[in-house]
């Protein structure tokens, strides 16, 4: 009897578990890029530890909103619980909403992934009375203001991003979609602690304006350099033609995506006429000096020689001159210090190298004058500053060999002299005789070899030509081979740039992109995080390797401007080599 009772309990528990339902429902399976999607995760039993999907390809506008309902009908209890989200698509194409999970009665349940097709933006019909009084296109504008469009190399320019919007609209939320990229620029973002609302004018119309970003740029090469645009997604509240009970205009929600547009900077090269040989790239207005801590020393004492450049210009982007000291003075590697601030007008402050010098012998030693050259933006000419000669006097200590020799000129009189009879003993100990009569070239093996060599080369040339024509006709293979060569080139280029952080990460990022183009047969315009992940996973690559590869590509841009050590640069290079090797083995 007990066995039957336990069997009944087990069957009841199985029946209870079998009745649990947990599923995902969407408001529509196809929608435009400007429409919103509602997703409901519903269950018929109470659960805990609800985990939503990451909603990749969507932006969560609202949610989660939780609803619980319970009813009793003819003795039967029904329960329903749901988590609802409102989503806005971020890209076109087929997007999959992943699995959500929840724990019910100690068991974990997951929903089935749902596929949604995102099309281009569509016209949404509205009630005429609910139509907005103004168009979102006229109500909001994102502008990038560039201080100078044709600077010299290493001349500072500023880019200020401002958002203009009408007095009739309100902004409820905004986020950056694409951050601006400053390839071939040294850049410094100026922190804006709090956004301030000001009054401004756009196309003759008074508007409110908010400054979103301020960036100082120093172009690093001449020619036309592009600044990629800043793009934003903004939620607006726009008044409609409908009024409420108190006669006030009601508002409707709208979404607007704005872009500041790409900017092209035409950078001028520094003039070659009059450029000093010791010029290292300093551009601005500077002062230069070399200061010793003392010039009179005793044996065993040391002095500090400080080389200082101060002023306004690209202080972090050039090398300081190095002092030249006599061999009797032992000079150690310098300690570099920077006291530089970067306001909107550009870098200002000072940089210095401090050398520790220890004399080895007594005497008086000169330190040669040092030259510092820079390009002055005001006069648009090169200027050179020369420091005075520094004389170091050591009062005591051992004397150098040169000083001893000068005081005792007879010290070398016992050296053996070389006599005239033995001066030429090493000459003509070996001979190289040549015959006076040489064999005729005509009829020699070399003559016949050169005569028939062109006929022997004809079949080889024909085979080579056929292979070349087949190779030239293989457009896909040529593109892959080119990308492979570029990846190896940029990896080798990145290895050469260990001492230059920005150039290293530019070369590393290009190498990773060219590897993807070679192995996945895609163009640069198609490279995105979602595309890379989808194609690599289809090619049987491991998920961890793919995630680390994508993370390394994303970090290249950030690492170019973030502080980093030589150890971190070496680690990123080794990681790139390892990931490329792993993907070579994994993808099919």
């Amino acid at each position: 009897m007990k066995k039957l009772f336990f069997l009944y309990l087990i069957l009841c528990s199985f029946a209870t578990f079998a009745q649990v339902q947990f599923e995902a429902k969407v408001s529509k399976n196809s929608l435009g890029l400007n429409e919103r999607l509602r997703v409901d995760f519903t269950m018929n039993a109470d659960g805990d530890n609800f985990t939503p999907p990451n909603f990749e390809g969507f932006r969560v506008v609202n949610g989660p909103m939780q609803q619980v309902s319970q009813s009793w009908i003819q003795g039967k209890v029904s329960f329903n619980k749901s988590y609802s989200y409102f989503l806005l698509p971020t890209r076109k194409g087929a997007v999959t909403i992943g699995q959500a999970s929840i724990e019910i009665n100690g068991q974990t349940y997951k929903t089935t992934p749902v596929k949604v097709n995102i099309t281009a933006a569509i016209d949404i019909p509205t009630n005429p009375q609910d139509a907005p009084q103004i168009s979102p296109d006229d109500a909001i504008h994102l502008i990038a203001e560039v201080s100078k469009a044709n600077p010299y190399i290493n001349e500072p320019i500023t880019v200020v991003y401002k958002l203009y919007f009408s007095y009739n609209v309100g902004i409820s939320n905004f986020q950056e979609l694409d951050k601006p990229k400053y390839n071939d620029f040294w850049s410094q973002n100026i922190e804006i602690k709090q956004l301030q609302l000001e009054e401004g004018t756009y196309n003759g119309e008074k508007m409110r304006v908010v400054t979103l970003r301020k960036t100082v740029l120093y172009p690093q090469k001449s020619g036309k350099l592009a600044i990629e645009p800043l793009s934003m997604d903004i939620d607006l509240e726009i008044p409609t033609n409908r009024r409420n009970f108190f006669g006030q205009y009601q508002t409707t929600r709208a979404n607007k995506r704005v872009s500041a547009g790409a900017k092209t900077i035409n950078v001028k090269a520094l003039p070659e006429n009059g450029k000093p040989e010791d010029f290292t790239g300093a551009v601005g207005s500077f002062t230069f000096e070399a200061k010793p801590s003392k010039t009179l020393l005793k044996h065993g004492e040391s002095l500090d020689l400080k080389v200082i450049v101060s002023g306004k210009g690209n202080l972090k982007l050039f090398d300081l001159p190095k002092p030249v000291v006599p061999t009797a003075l032992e000079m150690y590697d310098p300690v570099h210090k920077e006291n530089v601030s970067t306001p909107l007008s550009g870098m200002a402050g000072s940089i210095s190298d401090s050398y520790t010098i220890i004399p080895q012998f007594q005497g008086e030693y000169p330190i040669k004058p040092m030259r510092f050259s820079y390009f002055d933006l005001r006069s648009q000419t090169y200027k050179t500053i020369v420091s005075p000669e520094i004389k170091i006097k050591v009062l005591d200590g051992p004397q150098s060999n040169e000083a001893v020799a000068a005081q005792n000129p007879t010290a070398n009189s016992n050296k053996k002299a070389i006599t005239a009879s033995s001066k030429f003993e090493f000459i003509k100990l070996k001979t190289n005789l040549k015959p006076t009569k040489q064999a005729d070239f005509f009829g020699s093996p070399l003559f016949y070899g050169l005569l028939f060599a062109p006929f022997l080369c004809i079949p080889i040339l024909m085979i080579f030509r056929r292979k070349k024509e087949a190779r030239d006709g293989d457009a896909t293979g040529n593109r892959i081979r080119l990308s492979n060569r570029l990846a190896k080139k940029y990896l080798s280029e990145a290895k050469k740039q260990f001492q230059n952080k920005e150039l290293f990460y530019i070369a590393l990022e290009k190498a990773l992109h060219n590897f993807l183009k070679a192995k996945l047969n895609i163009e640069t315009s198609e490279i995105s995080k979602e595309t890379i992940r989808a194609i690599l996973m289809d090619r049987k690559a491991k998920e961890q390797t793919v995630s680390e590869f994508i993370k390394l590509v994303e970090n290249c841009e950030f690492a170019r401007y973030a502080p980093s050590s030589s150890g971190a640069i070496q680690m990123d290079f080794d990681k790139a080599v390892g990931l490329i090797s792993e993907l070579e083995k994994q993808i099919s």
Side-chain angles (χ1 to χ4, degrees):
M1 189 68 180
K2 290 183 178 179
K3 293 181 178 179
L4 292 175
F5 178 71
F6 283 119
L7 181 60
Y8 174 75
L9 289 179
I10 292 172
L11 292 175
C12 289
S13 63
F14 278 128
T16 302
F17 291 139
Q19 293 175 358
V20 173
Q21 294 181 354
F22 180 48
E23 57 184 349
K25 300 178 180 179
V26 295
S27 59
K28 55 181 71 177
N29 294 103
S30 179
L31 68 155
L33 192 61
N34 58 335
E35 292 185 283
R36 298 192 181 190
L37 178 71
R38 175 170 176 165
V39 183
D40 296 316
F41 300 96
T42 62
M43 65 206 76
N44 62 352
D46 196 8
D48 297 316
N49 300 326
F50 172 72
T51 303
N54 59 6
F55 296 118
E56 186 173 355
F58 292 93
R59 180 171 66 87
V60 178
V61 178
N62 195 5
M65 295 179 291
Q66 181 177 336
Q67 292 182 346
V68 178
S69 62
Q70 192 170 4
S71 61
W72 290 263
I73 301 174
Q74 295 180 356
K76 293 184 179 181
V77 180
S78 62
F79 178 87
N80 185 68
K81 184 178 181 180
S82 66
Y83 293 90
S84 301
Y85 291 84
F86 287 90
L87 311 176
L88 183 66
T90 59
R91 58 183 174 86
K92 295 188 295 183
V95 181
T96 301
I97 299 175
Q99 292 180 315
S101 64
I102 197 167
E103 292 182 5
I104 301 175
N105 297 328
Q107 297 289 325
T108 300
Y109 294 86
K110 295 184 179 181
T111 61
T112 303
V114 180
K115 290 187 178 180
V116 180
N117 184 36
I118 309 300
T119 63
I122 62 174
D123 295 330
I124 302 176
T126 58
N127 188 329
Q129 294 191 8
D130 292 334
Q133 294 180 345
I134 58 176
S135 170
D137 295 334
D138 300 328
I140 190 163
H141 308 276
L142 181 60
I143 304 299
E145 297 180 352
V146 180
S147 62
K148 193 171 185 178
N150 55 342
Y152 281 103
I153 292 177
N154 274 319
E155 180 180 358
I157 62 173
T158 59
V159 182
V160 180
Y161 295 91
K162 294 182 178 181
L163 184 66
Y164 289 85
F165 57 100
S166 172
Y167 283 92
N168 297 323
V169 302
I171 297 178
S172 59
N173 185 34
F174 68 88
Q175 71 171 2
E176 294 183 358
L177 295 177
D178 295 321
K179 295 184 179 180
K181 295 181 180 179
Y182 310 108
N183 296 328
D184 300 318
F185 289 92
W186 183 95
S187 64
Q188 175 70 55
N189 289 326
I190 298 178
E191 181 182 3
I192 300 177
K193 296 182 178 180
Q194 186 176 1
L195 298 180
Q196 295 184 354
L197 191 63
E198 300 175 347
E199 292 185 353
T201 303
Y202 181 80
N203 287 341
E205 181 182 355
K206 290 186 177 181
M207 287 188 168
R208 292 176 290 178
V209 60
V210 174
T211 301
L212 302 175
R213 276 175 169 264
K214 295 179 180 180
T215 305
V216 180
L217 303 177
Y218 285 84
Q220 298 300 293
K221 70 176 186 180
S222 60
K224 293 184 178 181
L225 305 183
I227 299 177
E228 297 185 14
L230 169 67
S231 300
M232 301 186 69
D233 187 32
I234 303 175
D235 292 333
L236 304 174
E237 293 183 356
I238 303 177
T240 67
N241 294 321
R242 187 185 294 273
R243 296 176 181 267
N244 59 16
F245 178 78
F246 299 99
Q248 299 173 333
Y249 285 108
Q250 296 181 355
T251 60
T252 182
R253 290 181 176 271
N255 179 263
K256 173 70 174 174
R257 295 187 176 182
V258 292
S259 174
K263 298 292 182 180
T264 300
I265 308 299
N266 190 14
V267 182
K268 298 180 291 186
L270 297 176
E272 293 295 329
N273 185 22
K275 180 184 290 188
E277 294 182 358
D278 59 347
F279 178 72
T280 60
V283 177
S285 178
F286 304 102
T287 60
F288 169 70
E289 58 180 334
K291 297 193 304 183
S293 58
K294 49 186 173 181
T295 57
L296 194 63
L297 298 97
K298 295 181 179 180
H299 178 66
E301 291 183 338
S302 64
L303 65 93
D304 291 330
L305 178 62
K306 185 174 288 187
V307 180
I308 307 171
V309 171
S310 58
K312 186 176 181 181
N314 59 331
L315 288 164
K316 297 182 180 181
L317 303 175
F318 60 83
D319 297 326
L320 291 171
K322 296 181 179 180
V324 178
V325 301
T327 56
L329 301 180
E330 186 175 0
M331 184 173 67
Y332 293 87
D333 291 337
V335 176
H336 185 75
K337 291 185 178 179
E338 295 181 353
N339 183 20
V340 180
S341 61
T342 310
L344 198 60
S345 57
M347 284 186 274
S350 65
I351 58 174
S352 65
D353 283 343
S354 182
Y355 296 85
T356 299
I357 299 175
I358 301 177
Q360 303 298 310
F361 306 100
Q362 66 172 320
E364 187 171 327
Y365 304 99
I367 298 178
K368 295 181 180 180
M370 284 179 281
R371 295 167 53 90
F372 172 71
S373 300
Y374 67 95
F375 182 75
D376 184 37
L377 291 171
R378 293 183 179 178
S379 62
Q380 297 187 2
T381 58
Y382 292 99
K383 294 185 178 181
T384 300
I385 303 174
V386 182
S387 67
E389 182 182 68
I390 301 173
K391 292 186 177 181
I392 306 300
K393 187 174 183 179
V394 184
L395 301 177
D396 55 3
Q399 292 184 337
S400 63
N401 294 334
E402 291 81 359
V404 173
Q407 295 176 3
N408 300 293
T410 61
N412 298 326
S413 60
N414 295 328
K415 291 184 178 180
K416 184 179 179 181
I418 300 176
T419 62
S421 60
S422 62
K423 184 181 296 184
F424 302 101
E425 289 181 354
F426 66 96
I427 301 178
K428 290 191 176 181
L429 298 180
K430 295 182 180 180
T431 60
N432 185 16
L433 302 178
K434 295 181 180 180
T436 57
K437 185 178 180 181
Q438 296 182 353
D440 292 336
F441 173 70
F442 182 77
S444 65
L446 179 60
F447 171 78
Y448 288 109
L450 295 177
L451 180 63
F452 293 106
F455 299 98
L456 296 176
C457 292
I458 291 176
I460 299 175
L461 292 175
M462 293 179 64
I463 296 173
F464 175 77
R465 181 179 180 182
R466 290 177 182 177
K467 290 186 176 181
K468 185 177 184 302
E469 290 176 351
R471 186 184 181 95
D472 293 340
D474 184 11
T476 302
N478 288 335
R479 187 169 64 252
I480 292 174
R481 284 188 288 271
L482 176 61
S483 298
N484 271 329
R485 289 197 299 271
L486 288 174
K488 294 178 180 178
K489 170 188 172 183
Y490 287 120
L491 272 179
S492 62
E493 181 67 22
K495 191 173 183 180
K496 297 177 184 177
Q497 301 294 341
F498 276 171
Q499 303 302 322
N500 191 323
K501 177 184 63 178
E502 182 176 354
L503 295 180
F504 167 79
Y505 282 107
I506 290 174
L508 184 61
E509 185 178 9
K510 289 181 179 179
L512 296 176
H513 281 182
N514 280 290
F515 171 75
L516 292 174
K517 291 166 61 179
K519 295 302 175 184
L520 305 184
N521 194 18
I522 59 177
E523 298 296 333
T524 303
S525 59
E526 300 174 352
I527 294 179
S528 65
K529 181 175 67 177
E530 295 79 6
T531 305
I532 295 172
R533 183 180 297 277
I535 297 178
L536 287 178
M537 295 303 292
D538 289 342
R539 300 282 291 274
K540 310 302 182 183
K542 294 181 180 179
E543 184 174 359
Q544 182 179 358
T545 307
V546 175
S547 299
E548 291 180 357
F549 186 89
I550 294 174
K551 185 177 180 182
L552 179 60
V553 174
E554 292 176 341
N555 287 344
C556 281
E557 177 65 23
F558 172 77
R560 286 164 54 189
Y561 308 111
S564 62
S565 62
S566 59
I569 290 175
Q570 180 67 50
M571 188 180 300
D572 287 341
F573 180 82
D574 294 340
K575 188 174 183 180
V577 174
L579 287 174
I580 288 177
S581 177
E582 286 296 322
L583 288 175
E584 285 275 10
K585 299 175 184 177
Q586 294 173 12
I587 62 179
S588 58

